[in-house]
Amino acid sequence: MIRPVSIYGVTVLVSDAGEVWTTSRTVTTERCGRPFTTTYGGRKLKPRVDRDGYLRVRFSIGSRRALCAVHRLVATAFVDNPDDLPCVNHKNERKDDNRSCNLEWCTVGYNNHYNGRYDRVRRRVKRVVMLSADGEVLKTFGSVKCAAAYVHGNPSNIGNACYGRLATAYGYKWRFGDEH
């Protein structure tokens, strides 16, 4: 099934399988003081993978170019959004699967929980140990950010001390985990 979607004042055709076409259009410009009319036929747009792994298509709007995410075009055309939700979620978590049956509108929080982003961030947080100059354990923190707040310092300095790039930070030695 193919449906038209108006984006940035231009109508493109979108299929429920995730394909996008431009529509045929006539453009009038002026050359040497006379109007010049050019007719462009519709064509299938080739999607490109962006740095985040999503497919995007590029098309012209007058003399400017627009770059649109294919999954948003498909969701706009085929997936109902009665609550006016801002994000489109891929149900199977494959960013290149833009079929309408694989897309749903959702909130930012739901989208982040659905793809496991919060779990990945939580796993990256490392415990930090604050040591005296002679190596005695003084205090343990749940993260570099908590340790920085305790000493009213910059998390980057404490992180650099934990990685061994700095000998000390804020008068203390620092290590990750329970090592000392």
Side-chain angles (χ1 to χ4, degrees), residues 35-167:
F36 185 78
T37 304
T38 305
T39 302
Y40 297 98
R43 65 180 180 91
K44 183 176 178 182
L45 299 177
K46 180 181 177 184
R48 291 173 174 82
V49 180
D50 69 4
R51 65 181 174 177
D52 296 323
Y54 292 99
L55 297 178
R56 295 187 180 272
V57 291
R58 178 177 295 183
F59 54 90
S60 298
I61 303 169
S63 62
R64 297 183 358 204
R65 290 187 169 188
L67 192 64
C68 294
V70 174
H71 64 278
R72 289 198 66 88
L73 293 171
V74 174
T76 301
F78 295 99
V79 181
D80 291 332
N81 188 10
D83 298 328
D84 199 28
L85 298 170
C87 294
V88 178
N89 182 41
H90 289 84
K91 294 177 186 176
N92 67 1
E93 298 186 26
R94 290 187 53 215
K95 297 177 180 179
D96 61 346
D97 186 358
N98 294 314
R99 296 173 296 140
S100 61
C101 62
N102 183 47
L103 302 175
E104 64 183 348
W105 289 97
C106 63
T107 63
V108 174
Y110 174 83
N111 203 17
N112 287 337
H113 278 291
Y114 193 91
N115 66 23
R117 179 181 186 277
Y118 290 128
D119 294 335
R120 288 193 306 274
V121 169
R122 196 172 321 140
R123 269 185 261 132
R124 282 195 324 230
V125 175
K126 298 179 181 180
R127 295 172 57 86
V128 176
V129 178
M130 181 171 69
L131 307 164
S132 65
D134 57 346
E136 182 183 333
V137 175
L138 299 175
K139 191 163 179 70
T140 303
F141 301 93
S143 68
V144 172
K145 188 175 181 180
C146 292
Y150 180 79
V151 296
H152 304 290
N154 188 332
S156 297
N157 292 335
I158 294 174
N160 284 332
C162 289
Y163 283 114
R165 296 183 196 122
L166 294 174

